Amino acid sequence: MSNDIARWKTLKSDIVFDHKWYTLRRDHVELPTGQILDDYFVSVRQNVVLIFAVTDDHHVLLVRQYKHAASEILIELPGGVIDEGEDVPSEAAKRELLEETGYAPESIELLLEVMDNPTKDTNRIYFFLARNARQVASQDLDETENIEVLRVPLAEIEGMVLGGQIRVSGSVALCLLALRKLQA
């Protein structure tokens, strides 16, 4: 089963909307078949970190917050965008964990770099496992954030995922990946 799959050729790109929170690019591309598409829209997005943080007493740190696009209050793992100037994703992960939860880990390990929606989004998500996290500060939230920190026993995480209590795709994937890593 061998298919020759080739990249599309970008003929031209234009930024059609540029805002600090969202950038939309319109690409003119040529497919391997020779077909030309002049309206392939791509969301140019910042890379993101997501952290599965386990405390020294075997609890996982989750965050509960309102997500406007979904119009729901959701439970997920802490995380956020890698800020401009942060060259090392692990530093962004430690910063986001501290800001959202007030916890700092003894160690942090990159488990996987993934793409959420490679058809339309440019960003990557860095999945981290943080061990022996301890509370060292209060939350340091942005003015638009209202985050409740949940400390959930490690043994309950799989049930929360399988039961649909954790249902944001990146958090689901990282929870299952981290649980497998911790069992190894």
Side-chain angles (χ1 to χ4, degrees), residues 80-115:
V81 299
I82 298 175
D83 287 342
E84 200 169 311
E86 283 182 315
D87 298 325
V88 181
S90 62
E91 293 304 313
K94 288 189 268 188
R95 176 188 50 75
E96 282 289 342
L97 182 63
L98 184 62
E99 287 175 1
E100 290 191 0
T101 69
Y103 282 73
E106 185 177 285
S107 67
I108 193 158
E109 172 187 0
L110 177 65
L111 294 184
L112 195 62
E113 176 188 322
V114 301
M115 291 161 273

Side-chain angles (χ1 to χ4, degrees), residues 16 23 56 74-75 82 98 107 118 140-141 152:
V16 294
T23 300
D56 52 357
L74 297 168
I75 296 171
I82 298 175
L98 184 62
S107 67
D140 184 18
L141 303 176
V152 177

Side-chain angles (χ1 to χ4, degrees), residues 98-167:
L98 184 62
E99 287 175 1
E100 290 191 0
T101 69
Y103 282 73
E106 185 177 285
S107 67
I108 193 158
E109 172 187 0
L110 177 65
L111 294 184
L112 195 62
E113 176 188 322
V114 301
M115 291 161 273
D116 182 43
N117 183 13
T119 301
K120 291 291 182 182
D121 295 341
T122 61
N123 68 318
R124 304 196 179 251
I125 305 171
Y126 296 89
F127 284 171
F128 286 94
L129 172 60
R131 297 177 196 249
N132 296 321
R134 291 192 173 108
Q135 187 166 14
V136 297
S138 299
Q139 289 175 303
D140 184 18
L141 303 176
D142 294 337
E143 63 182 28
T144 60
E145 292 179 312
N146 181 13
I147 297 174
E148 177 186 2
V149 178
L150 306 176
R151 287 176 36 92
V152 177
L154 181 61
E156 294 179 17
I157 297 297
E158 183 177 14
M160 289 181 74
V161 170
L162 298 177
Q165 290 172 277
I166 299 171
R167 54 195 179 93

Side-chain angles (χ1 to χ4, degrees), residues 26-38:
R26 179 180 179 179
D27 288 350
H28 301 258
V29 296
E30 180 179 348
L31 281 58
T33 62
Q35 179 183 1
I36 304 285
L37 300 177
D38 66 356

